[in-house]
Amino acid sequence: MTNSIQCENIVKKYKDFSLKSVSLTIKPGYLTGLIGINGAGKTTLINIISGLDTDFEGKVNINGIDIKKNTSEAKQEIGLISEKLSFFMDKTAYENGVLLGEYFNNWSMEDYYIWLDKMNIPKGQQLYQFSKGMKKQVMFILALAIMPEYLIMDEPFDGLDPHIRKVIWDILIQDVSERNMTIFISSHHLNELDSMCDHIALINNGKIVFEEALDHLKEGYHKLQIVLECGDDMYALEKELKVLSHQMMGRLHTLIVAGEIEAINRTVEKYCPLINETLSLSLEEIFLFTLGGEYDELKEVMG
C-alpha cells in the first residue's frame, strides 16, 4: 500500500523501556486513534513516525518514502501536533506563519488566516504573551496550514476547553472529508476517540495489542445484564464464556464478555435467564477490560 504510513518491526530501546517489533499500517483517509496507559509507548512511536526520532531499528515509510533516508522529504507529508510547544516565542502569530511557510511546499497562508480568525487568535501579538491554551490552538493552525496528507497528534487536546475542542474537531473532520487527510491521534480523551475514530490501535508495554476498525472491534466485546432463574447457575455459565469482568448487584449480574454475540446468547439461554439484555460498550470499557485487571486500577493509571 503506497499511499499510507507503514511501520515495520520498529524496535527502540531505552534503559527501562523499549518498543518491541511494532508493525502498524496507518491507512489513508481514515482517523486512527492510538490508545494505551501512560508509559505504554505512544509518544515514542509518534516521535518515530513523525521523523522526530530516526534512531531506531526497523522501517517507517511515508507514501513509500523511507523516513530514515529521506527525513526532510517525508516530513513534507506530515503535520505534527505534540505535547511540546515549538514556536518562535518572540514573534507574532502572523510572523510564525510566514517563517514556517518557507519550509513547506503546500503551505496555505490564506487558510492560516481563516483558522486564526475562527479561533479568535490575535495575529499581531507575540506568542510568549499567549496562554498555554492559545499556544496549543496556534500549533493546530500551523499544522493544518501545512496542508498535510497526514496529521499526527500526541495528546493534542490537553489544556483546551470543550468549546475549542469542538471547533478543532469540526475543522479536522471537514479536512478529512474534503482533502482525504489522514489523522493519527494519541489521546486519553477516549470518549472523543470513540465518537470520531474509524480505527483504533492499542499499545501496551511497547507492543501493539490490536489495530482494527472500531465497529469491528466493538462487535467482539459485549456488556450483558443477566438474571438467572437459578442464581447458582452463574458459576457454570461463567466457565462457558470468556468473561473479562463480572459485577453483581443483588440478583443482577453485569458481565463484560468477549466473543460473538449470537454464540454468547445461545450459551446464556441454556440457563433459562429471566433477564438477558445486551448493552452498548464504550471504547473506554473495551480499553480497560482488554488490558485485564480491575476497572478502577486501570482507570487510575490511564492518566
Side-chain angles (χ1 to χ4, degrees):
M1 186 180 294
T2 304
N3 290 324
S4 64
I5 296 179
Q6 292 188 310
C7 307
E8 298 179 13
N9 300 317
I10 295 175
V11 176
K12 176 72 179 182
K13 296 179 180 179
Y14 296 99
K15 183 178 179 180
D16 55 356
F17 172 80
S18 64
L19 290 182
K20 302 162 186 172
S21 193
V22 169
S23 294
L24 180 69
T25 297
I26 301 172
K27 299 176 182 178
Y30 288 102
L31 206 161
T32 298
L34 178 66
I35 61 176
I37 64 173
N38 291 336
K42 301 188 299 295
T43 296
T44 300
L45 180 58
I46 281 178
N47 287 344
I48 288 172
I49 292 173
S50 62
L52 289 181
D53 183 354
T54 56
D55 182 20
F56 63 91
E57 298 175 32
K59 289 185 178 181
V60 175
N61 289 328
I62 313 290
N63 289 353
I65 303 168
D66 189 320
I67 202 163
K68 279 185 179 181
K69 297 177 180 178
N70 300 288
T71 306
S72 297
E73 184 182 356
K75 282 185 174 182
Q76 289 290 331
E77 310 289 340
I78 296 171
L80 175 65
I81 299 169
S82 68
E83 292 181 295
K84 295 181 180 178
L85 301 172
S86 300
F87 304 109
F88 299 98
M89 289 295 177
D90 61 336
K91 305 295 184 182
T92 66
Y94 166 78
E95 290 168 334
N96 268 269
V98 171
L99 290 168
L100 188 65
E102 295 178 358
Y103 294 95
F104 290 93
N105 300 332
N106 296 323
W107 174 264
S108 173
M109 202 68 189
E110 180 181 357
D111 286 323
Y112 183 64
Y113 275 141
I114 291 171
W115 289 322
L116 285 175
D117 289 339
K118 277 188 177 181
M119 296 187 198
N120 297 314
I121 300 296
K123 301 182 186 71
Q125 188 173 337
Q126 292 171 310
L127 263 64
Y128 75 84
Q129 299 175 304
F130 286 9
S131 67
K132 183 178 179 180
M134 289 176 67
K135 291 172 185 173
K136 180 63 73 75
Q137 291 174 60
V138 174
M139 180 177 278
F140 267 101
I141 297 167
L142 288 168
L144 288 170
I146 292 169
M147 307 303 283
E149 185 167 350
Y150 302 96
L151 183 63
I152 299 176
M153 302 187 285
D154 187 14
E155 300 292 352
F157 296 108
D158 285 356
L160 299 180
D161 63 51
H163 170 70
I164 292 298
R165 290 210 303 269
K166 183 181 184 307
V167 170
I168 291 172
W169 270 119
D170 288 345
I171 292 171
L172 295 179
I173 297 303
Q174 182 177 348
D175 268 35
V176 169
S177 174
E178 292 181 356
R179 299 199 299 109
N180 204 34
M181 184 174 69
T182 300
I183 294 178
F184 186 61
I185 174 175
S186 160
S187 177
H188 62 262
H189 294 279
L190 297 189
N191 59 325
E192 289 181 335
L193 298 189
D194 199 348
S195 61
M196 299 296 182
C197 287
D198 307 293
H199 290 256
I200 293 292
L202 170 62
I203 189 170
N204 188 48
N205 195 28
K207 296 181 179 180
I208 296 294
V209 178
F210 61 71
E211 188 282 312
E212 56 184 296
L214 182 55
D215 289 344
H216 184 262
L217 178 63
K218 288 188 174 184
E219 290 174 0
Y221 298 89
H222 312 279
K223 181 190 289 187
L224 308 179
Q225 288 195 326
I226 299 172
V227 175
L228 297 182
E229 185 174 339
C230 177
D232 290 341
D233 285 345
M234 181 54 68
Y235 301 105
L237 174 58
E238 270 199 284
K239 292 180 180 179
E240 294 195 53
L241 300 174
K242 186 176 180 181
V243 177
L244 304 178
S245 172
H246 182 183
Q247 296 178 334
M248 182 172 63
M249 183 176 294
R251 297 184 65 192
L252 180 64
H253 298 262
T254 300
L255 308 178
I256 306 296
V257 182
E260 193 265 326
I261 189 61
E262 285 77 12
I264 292 170
N265 281 330
R266 284 196 299 270
T267 301
V268 174
E269 290 302 319
K270 293 192 302 183
Y271 292 88
C272 303
L274 301 175
I275 296 174
N276 178 21
E277 184 178 2
T278 302
L279 306 178
S280 60
L281 199 60
S282 70
L283 175 60
E284 182 177 9
E285 289 172 314
I286 293 172
F287 167 64
L288 294 169
F289 293 123
T290 299
L291 292 183
E294 294 299 323
Y295 182 93
D296 290 338
E297 291 177 1
L298 286 165
K299 194 164 186 178
E300 182 177 343
V301 299
M302 186 175 62

